[in-house]
Amino acid sequence: MDIVPRVTTDLDFMDAYLEDTLPALAKDAVGRPLPKLLYWLLDARGKIDSLYDKGKDAEPVQALLAVGKTLMHGCPLIMWENDTSVPKLIRDHLGPTDDPAFLEAYKYKKLERGEDPVQRVLFEHSLTYQGLSYNKQD
């Protein structure tokens, strides 16, 4: 699942993503450039953890997260589960649901052992922009 639509609207997904990915990045990414989105996420997480003693549990951070939980995409999203799947038109939903018509039904899938977190996020995001591109090359 592409991480980009989740950045501002699905904080539980983002938290699960960071908890799973940070150890793999710390072990593997030394000296390797990170995509801008990953750098931004890691930088934001580091700033929160260093600015506040309680990290994401600090009161100002919790207030910001409360606002973030009220954000949702106003229009439908197109999602590809993998590079051979048929695109799905889904909507955002304020709150958890298992209904596959909604973005929140698609939970974060943990990294497989040895899976490269940078390559995974780039591949999952490429499903969206390649799927929407006009000049597809087979």
Side-chain angles (χ1 to χ4, degrees):
M1 176 76 203
D2 187 5
I3 195 172
V4 172
R6 306 295 189 114
V7 171
T8 57
T9 63
D10 192 344
L11 302 177
D12 292 332
F13 183 95
M14 293 305 303
D15 198 41
Y17 172 82
L18 289 171
E19 291 297 323
D20 187 38
T21 305
L22 285 176
L25 286 173
K27 189 183 338 175
D28 185 46
V30 175
R32 184 169 75 163
L34 291 175
K36 286 182 185 178
L37 175 63
L38 283 179
Y39 175 80
W40 179 81
L41 291 171
L42 298 174
D43 188 47
R45 176 85 179 243
K47 286 179 181 173
I48 287 171
D49 288 343
S50 65
L51 281 174
Y52 302 104
D53 290 336
K54 296 179 182 176
K56 69 180 181 180
D57 296 326
E59 189 175 324
V61 176
Q62 285 300 308
L64 180 63
L65 293 177
V67 171
K69 288 181 181 181
T70 66
L71 300 175
M72 64 184 288
H73 295 281
C75 60
L77 302 166
I78 300 172
M79 183 191 83
W80 287 263
E81 290 191 66
N82 59 49
D83 57 350
T84 60
S85 67
V86 175
K88 295 180 181 183
L89 194 61
I90 57 176
R91 298 185 317 255
D92 205 347
H93 185 268
L94 284 177
T97 181
D98 290 328
D99 184 343
F102 295 101
L103 179 65
E104 290 75 13
Y106 300 91
K107 310 296 186 229
Y108 175 73
K109 294 177 186 168
K110 286 189 168 259
L111 292 168
E112 299 288 329
R113 174 169 266 193
E115 186 177 9
D116 183 338
V118 173
Q119 289 304 312
R120 177 173 159 180
V121 78
L122 291 173
F123 171 74
E124 289 176 343
H125 186 55
S126 76
L127 293 175
T128 302
Y129 69 75
Q130 286 179 7
L132 294 174
S133 67
Y134 288 108
N135 298 320
K136 293 183 184 179
Q137 296 182 7
D138 295 326

